[in-house]
């Protein structure tokens, strides 16, 4: 192994794991958003722009000059609180966040604009693709099930007192969505079940087999009946005809 590789591995051990709340905006994306905001809302170049969200910062104590506009990418876990703060203090703002986060923290008096694009954040945190989840939600809706997405993680205090990011179910009623694409492995299905069992509020899992060419509906159902994990909840499949079927 080359020397530099082992050095990088050594250094990597000391890097903390990034969460979606630590996603930094690439400068060129920030510039594009700011230019769009100025163009769209007719902001003059003299208007002070404030970016209050940085590690260790406290947005409540930052100075907001008269007439300023906050244009920034806030910590998503406290987005609703931030919005209410700006509303209460009459501070204008344009905040950006992942689409599903935006719509799960609807605050009266705020307009949400959903851009149809995926973003890779500057810290290299995994790109969040929700498109397949939205497609699965559409299929659930066609089966008469209402879907309300929620922020699918929470911050809890770990044993050492530090905040830990823990996963929650995709939907507010405790439904976890698993969309299968080219999945032919029982182990992958088992690990999806294990993953669902780790989500505190998950009470059911829906496997969407509609687009999966790796496993027939019968094979998937058999595999799910054998799975040991997630004994506390119910399991459904959306089959290749788009029909929702309860498996166990
Ligand atoms: C999504 S990141 C965006 C960082 C940066 N503004 C950008 O766009 O690249 C949100 C940042 O807000 C910071 N943050 C968390 N709580 C905060 C608070 N109460 N006041 C200000 N910043 C906070 C986090 O540490 C994190 O760096």
């Amino acid at each position: 192994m080359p020397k530099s590789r082992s050095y990088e591995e050594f250094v990597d051990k000391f890097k903390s794991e990034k969460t979606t709340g630590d996603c930094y905006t690439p400068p060129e994306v920030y510039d594009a958003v700011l230019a769009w905001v100025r163009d769209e809302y007719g902001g003059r170049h003299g208007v002070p722009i404030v970016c209050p969200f940085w590690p260790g910062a406290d947005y409540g104590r930052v100075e907001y000059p008269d007439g300023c506009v906050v244009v920034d990418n806030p910590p998503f876990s406290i987005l609703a609180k931030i919005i209410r703060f700006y509303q209460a203090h009459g501070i204008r703002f344009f905040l950006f966040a992942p689409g599903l986060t935006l719509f799960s923290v609807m605050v009266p008096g705020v307009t949400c604009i959903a851009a149809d694009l995926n973003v890779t954040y500057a810290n290299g945190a995994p790109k969040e693709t929700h498109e397949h989840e939205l497609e699965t939600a559409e299929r659930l809706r066609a089966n008469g099930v209402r879907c309300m997405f929620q922020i699918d993680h929470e911050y809890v205090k770990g044993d050492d007192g530090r905040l830990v990011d823990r996963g929650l179910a995709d939907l507010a009623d405790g439904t976890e969505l698993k969309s299968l694409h080219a999945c032919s492995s029982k182990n992958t299905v088992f690990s999806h079940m294990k993953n669902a069992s780790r989500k505190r509020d998950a009470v059911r899992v829906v496997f969407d087999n509609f687009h999966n060419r790796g496993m027939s509906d019968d094979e998937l159902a058999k595999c799910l009946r054998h799975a040991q994990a997630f004994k506390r909840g119910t399991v459904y499949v959306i089959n290749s005809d788009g029909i929702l079927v309860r498996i166990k």
Side-chain angles (χ1 to χ4, degrees):
M1 183 187 293
K3 220 175 174 184
S4 59
R5 172 87 195 278
S6 54
Y7 175 75
E8 274 166 19
E9 283 175 357
F10 174 76
V11 170
D12 277 350
K13 284 185 196 165
F14 299 96
K15 289 182 182 165
S16 60
E17 205 172 302
K18 296 285 186 278
T19 68
T20 51
D22 291 317
C23 294
Y24 301 117
T25 314
E28 56 276 30
V29 172
Y30 184 86
D31 291 347
V33 172
L34 185 56
W36 186 86
V37 170
R38 282 197 164 121
D39 201 34
E40 191 69 19
Y41 299 102
R44 284 168 293 109
H45 276 262
V47 173
I49 302 295
V50 181
C51 305
F53 303 109
W54 290 101
D58 177 356
Y59 72 93
R61 305 177 74 151
V62 167
E63 195 192 328
Y64 295 97
D66 281 349
C68 73
V69 181
V70 174
V71 180
D72 205 353
N73 172 5
F76 313 133
S77 57
I78 51 169
L79 185 55
K81 194 174 152 195
I82 292 168
I83 292 172
R84 287 197 198 97
F85 174 87
Y86 288 139
Q87 286 177 324
H89 290 81
I91 297 167
R92 297 184 295 169
F93 58 91
F94 186 94
L95 303 173
F96 33 111
L100 292 177
T101 302
L102 276 190
F103 287 104
S104 54
V105 290
M106 286 279 206
V107 172
V110 169
T111 303
C112 296
I113 302 166
D116 182 20
L117 62 110
N118 288 315
V119 174
T120 302
Y121 289 91
N123 69 347
K127 182 170 80 173
E128 287 197 290
T129 302
H130 293 295
E131 209 173 302
H132 57 276
E133 290 172 348
L134 290 173
E135 284 179 14
T136 298
E138 280 294 325
R139 279 188 272 283
L140 278 174
R141 214 171 52 158
N143 279 275
V145 180
R146 273 189 72 208
C147 296
M148 168 86 81
F149 282 92
Q150 66 172 353
I151 297 178
D152 61 356
H153 61 105
E154 64 183 348
Y155 294 95
V156 289
K157 264 200 181 156
D159 293 340
D160 58 0
R162 293 177 64 176
L163 285 183
V164 182
D165 191 353
R166 217 171 48 181
L168 293 173
D170 296 305
L171 303 186
D173 67 353
T175 303
E176 176 68 0
L177 305 179
K178 302 290 183 194
S179 310
L180 304 181
H181 292 266
C183 168
S184 57
S185 152
K186 281 184 189 173
N187 286 339
T188 304
V189 175
F190 291 159
S191 70
H192 280 318
M193 291 287 273
K194 250 192 218 157
N195 173 275
S197 68
R198 283 196 284 266
K199 310 236 162 145
R200 179 181 61 72
D201 62 337
V203 292
R204 75 184 64 76
V205 188
V206 174
F207 282 83
D208 186 353
N209 209 38
F210 187 76
H211 278 307
N212 188 18
R213 300 291 163 256
M215 217 182 243
S216 71
D217 295 329
D218 286 346
E219 285 168 330
L220 175 60
K222 201 168 154 194
C223 178
L224 289 170
R225 284 194 195 99
H226 281 118
Q228 295 299 311
F230 199 60
K231 287 222 158 64
R232 68 171 193 266
T234 49
V235 179
Y236 292 79
V237 164
I238 297 174
N239 67 21
S240 45
D241 295 322
I243 310 293
L244 183 67
V245 182
R246 180 165 172 177
I247 302 300
K248 62 181 187 182

